Amino acid sequence: EQGGSRKGRLWTYLDPIGQQVVFDATATHERDGPEAFLAAFRGDLHADAYTGYDALYATGRIREIGCWAHARRGFVEALTTDVRAALTVALIQQLYQVERGGAELSADARRALRREHSLPLLAKIQIERDQLGRTVLPKSPLGDAVRYLTNQWAALQRFVEDGHLAIDNNRAENQLRVIALGRKNWLFAGSLEGARRAALLYSLVQSCTLVDVPPFDYLKDVLLRVATHPQHLIGQLTPKGWAATFGRRAAA
C-alpha cells in the first residue's frame, strides 16, 4: 500500500486451443488466486517459474510446462557481463528456428520435427549448462541464469512431447499488454471490485479478438439477448459461442 493506494494483481489464463482468455483480479500476489481459479483444472499449465504454482503441480493433476522465453532472458541479460552466456543464447535461438519451421504444421508433424531437431539441441544445452555450472559464480547474473535453467529443466523439455504445446508462454504474456496500456492510461481501478469488473471486460474483449469478432458488435448484441436467453444455453453468449451461433446473423 502506497500513498493511500493498494496494489492488487491481474492474472491471465489463456486457452489457445479453445480460443478464449480469462482475466482474474486478486488483492495480493499470493498463490490463493491461482489455486482457487484452477481448483477443477486438469492438464498442462504453461507458466513462468512462480513458486506459487508449486502446490498445484504437487497435486498431480496439473503438469508444469516451462517457458523458454524466461530461460533465454536470463542468459541474454548475463551476456552483457559474461561472454560465456553466448553459446547458450545461440542454442536457444536454434530451438526457436525449429519452432518457426514448424509453425504451420499439424500437432503430430510438429512433434516429429521437434524430436528430430529440438531434442539434439536440448542435449547440447544441457552439456553447456553443466559445464557452466562448474565454473560460474553462483550469485552472478550468469549463475542466476544457469540456476533457473537447472531448476526448470524437466518442465522446459516437455514441449517436445506434444505438438499442441508452445515453446514459451508468450501468447499469455501478450494478453497482458492491454493491461499495461490501461495502467498507463488510467492508472487505477478504483477498488478491488473495480479491478474485477475490469478483468471481466478484458476477458470478453480479448476473447473476441481471439475469434476475430468485433467487440462492439458482440457486446451490443449480447446485452440485448442476455436477459431472455435460456440459462442452459449460456455458452452461446461467450465470444466463441456467439460467433458460431449468432455472429453472421448479427453482422447482417
Side-chain angles (χ1 to χ4, degrees):
E1 189 168 348
Q2 296 179 344
S5 298
R6 186 184 300 274
K7 179 182 286 188
R9 295 286 176 172
L10 274 176
W11 309 76
T12 179
Y13 301 90
L14 173 68
D15 175 8
I17 296 176
Q19 295 178 291
Q20 54 190 345
V21 61
V22 176
F23 293 83
D24 185 37
T26 62
T28 71
H29 193 221
E30 302 300 321
R31 72 185 194 186
D32 305 33
E35 282 188 352
F37 192 92
L38 297 169
F41 176 73
R42 289 181 175 273
D44 294 328
L45 182 65
H46 215 149
D48 60 22
Y50 171 52
T51 56
Y53 300 131
D54 290 348
L56 291 170
Y57 304 138
T59 65
R61 59 184 173 81
I62 296 178
R63 186 174 67 152
E64 180 182 12
I65 309 299
C67 175
W68 274 101
H70 281 84
R72 178 182 181 275
R73 189 175 305 157
F75 285 93
V76 170
E77 292 173 354
L79 189 57
T80 61
T81 57
D82 196 326
V83 71
R84 289 176 295 174
L87 179 56
T88 304
V89 172
L91 289 169
I92 295 173
Q93 185 61 31
Q94 290 179 49
L95 280 180
Y96 274 86
Q97 289 174 358
V98 175
E99 293 303 301
R100 285 190 286 272
E104 303 301 323
L105 298 179
S106 67
D108 288 342
R110 188 178 302 112
R111 177 179 179 272
L113 182 73
R114 288 170 173 171
R115 293 189 70 81
E116 180 180 358
H117 297 288
S118 298
L119 279 178
L121 289 170
L122 289 171
K124 292 179 181 179
I125 292 172
Q126 184 173 18
I127 291 171
E128 178 64 9
R129 181 205 68 186
D130 292 344
Q131 290 177 344
L132 289 173
R134 290 191 289 268
T135 59
V136 298
L137 294 174
K139 294 185 178 181
S140 66
L142 186 53
D144 290 339
V146 170
R147 183 165 53 254
Y148 182 99
L149 198 60
T150 300
N151 292 342
Q152 289 293 108
W153 187 245
L156 285 167
Q157 296 180 84
R158 291 183 181 130
F159 79 100
V160 177
E161 302 170 15
D162 187 343
H164 293 98
L165 298 174
I167 191 174
D168 56 35
N169 198 36
N170 283 353
R171 290 179 296 188
E173 296 276 346
N174 288 341
Q175 291 294 327
L176 290 172
R177 290 181 179 178
V178 296
I179 306 298
L181 179 63
R183 186 174 58 205
K184 179 185 292 187
N185 285 342
W186 51 82
L187 296 181
F188 303 110
S191 66
L192 181 58
E193 284 307 308
R196 287 171 174 159
R197 288 192 290 270
L200 173 60
L201 290 173
Y202 279 130
S203 300
L204 292 173
V205 170
Q206 290 303 107
S207 290
C208 281
T209 64
L210 290 176
V211 291
D212 295 323
V213 165
F216 179 82
D217 293 347
Y218 164 78
L219 291 170
K220 178 182 177 182
D221 188 70
V222 166
L223 289 173
L224 293 173
R225 294 181 187 276
V226 68
T228 58
H229 199 75
Q231 177 66 28
H232 70 282
L233 297 177
I234 200 67
Q236 294 178 346
L237 299 187
T238 64
K240 185 178 180 180
W242 181 87
T245 310
F246 305 112
R248 291 181 181 177
R249 194 186 319 165

